[in-house]
Structures are given as C-alpha cells and as structure tokens.
Amino acid sequence: MRVVVLSDTHAPRRWRSCPPRVAAHLRGADVILHAGDVCVPSVLDELAAYAPVHVVKGNNDGPDVVAPETLELVLDGLRVGMIHDSGPAKGRLARLRRRFPDADLVVFGHSHIPLDESGEGLRIFNPGSPTDRRRQPHGTVGLLTVEGGRLVRAEIVPVT
C-alpha cells in the first residue's frame, strides 16, 4: 500500500491548488493522510480526486473543515493514529504512546518540521509542510509503504 502523508497545507494562502511536485507523488497513491491545517475543505476535495483521504482537524481549520481531533485507522494491517499537534518535543514519544496505546505509527503535523523517529515501541512521523516550509530548507511530503501490517518504507521528500 502506497500512502502519501501531508500536513499544514494552509490553503488558500499557501496552497492555491495542488502543486505539480505534490501531485506527482499523489498519482498512484492508495490512500492520503492529512495531519491538519487544511484550512479550506476544497483541498480535501482536490486530494480525494487522487485517492481516499483521512484527515484530522488542525488549529487553523475552521468549522467548515469537518474532521475529528484524532483518528485511529488500520492500513493493510498497520495500526495508525493521527493528531495535528503532538505537543512539545520533550516527552513526545511517551505522550503519543499513551494517547494511541495500540498504534504502530502516529502521524502528526503542526510544527512544519519533518520528523521520522522511533522509540517506546512506536514510530512517529511528521511530513512537514509542502507549502509553508518556515525555517526548513524545502517544503516536504511523506511517503509510506505498508505491506502485511508492517511499515516497510518511510521517507520525507522535498517538493520545493
């Protein structure tokens, strides 16, 4: 299963339409995870043209973005938790393990800082932002490959 992970697209200020380098990764995706700060629901409609979308609500998402604060789902046997803001870096792994006790992977956003880290029996993954890189050298998205309940590949790729 090919999974594309996005967060913090911040439309329409930062995302007027899907950037071509993001679209190139979305083509052929089996599922898209968006870790919040969509800001306008039309982004979700645009993404859904590529693959089914799972989204959590970000702190900049208004009432017209219909999404839960957290989400738990199973992708080809891999147990995934999603939340927008994972809180401070200190204690993050343990905090997310408590929040999602059954998860193999937790996807989050908010900081715009890409992160792929493991510990506490958990892998945590922040794809960064494709459109608002802040102090990062590039805008980024996450690419995951899931096979038989295992995350066999995870990478954060530049799109700007």
Side-chain angles (χ1 to χ4, degrees):
M1 174 177 273
R2 190 168 171 266
V3 182
V4 177
V5 186
L6 300 165
S7 188
D8 300 285
T9 46
H10 290 278
R13 192 169 136 246
R14 298 285 184 176
W15 173 296
R16 288 178 176 53
S17 65
C18 186
R21 290 184 67 185
V22 174
H25 291 290
L26 294 171
R27 288 185 198 96
D30 295 303
V31 68
I32 300 165
L33 305 180
H34 196 300
D37 277 0
V38 174
C39 298
V40 296
S42 61
V43 171
L44 299 175
D45 296 334
E46 189 175 12
L47 294 174
Y50 293 95
V53 179
H54 300 280
V55 61
V56 291
K57 195 166 204 88
N59 60 300
N60 287 298
D61 291 330
D64 55 341
V65 175
V66 178
E69 299 291 326
T70 63
L71 185 62
E72 295 181 59
L73 61 149
V74 178
L75 300 176
D76 195 23
L78 184 77
R79 296 167 303 188
V80 180
M82 292 178 65
I83 191 168
H84 179 63
D85 184 353
S86 68
K90 184 175 174 62
R92 180 181 284 143
L93 275 163
R95 187 172 50 255
L96 289 175
R97 168 49 69 215
R98 286 190 304 273
R99 182 72 180 250
F100 300 97
D102 297 325
D104 301 307
L105 170 72
V106 174
V107 170
F108 66 99
H110 187 61
S111 69
H112 299 219
I113 300 170
L115 177 73
D116 181 6
E117 186 177 327
S118 296
E120 308 280 337
L122 179 67
R123 190 158 186 177
I124 61 174
F125 190 82
N126 183 336
S129 171
T131 53
D132 188 3
R133 61 184 179 86
R134 294 201 180 153
R135 296 170 301 280
Q136 303 306 303
H138 301 283
T140 53
V141 300
L143 304 177
L144 308 175
T145 304
V146 180
E147 292 178 6
R150 291 185 42 245
L151 180 60
V152 296
R153 184 171 177 212
E155 60 182 320
I156 296 167
V157 297
V159 291
T160 62

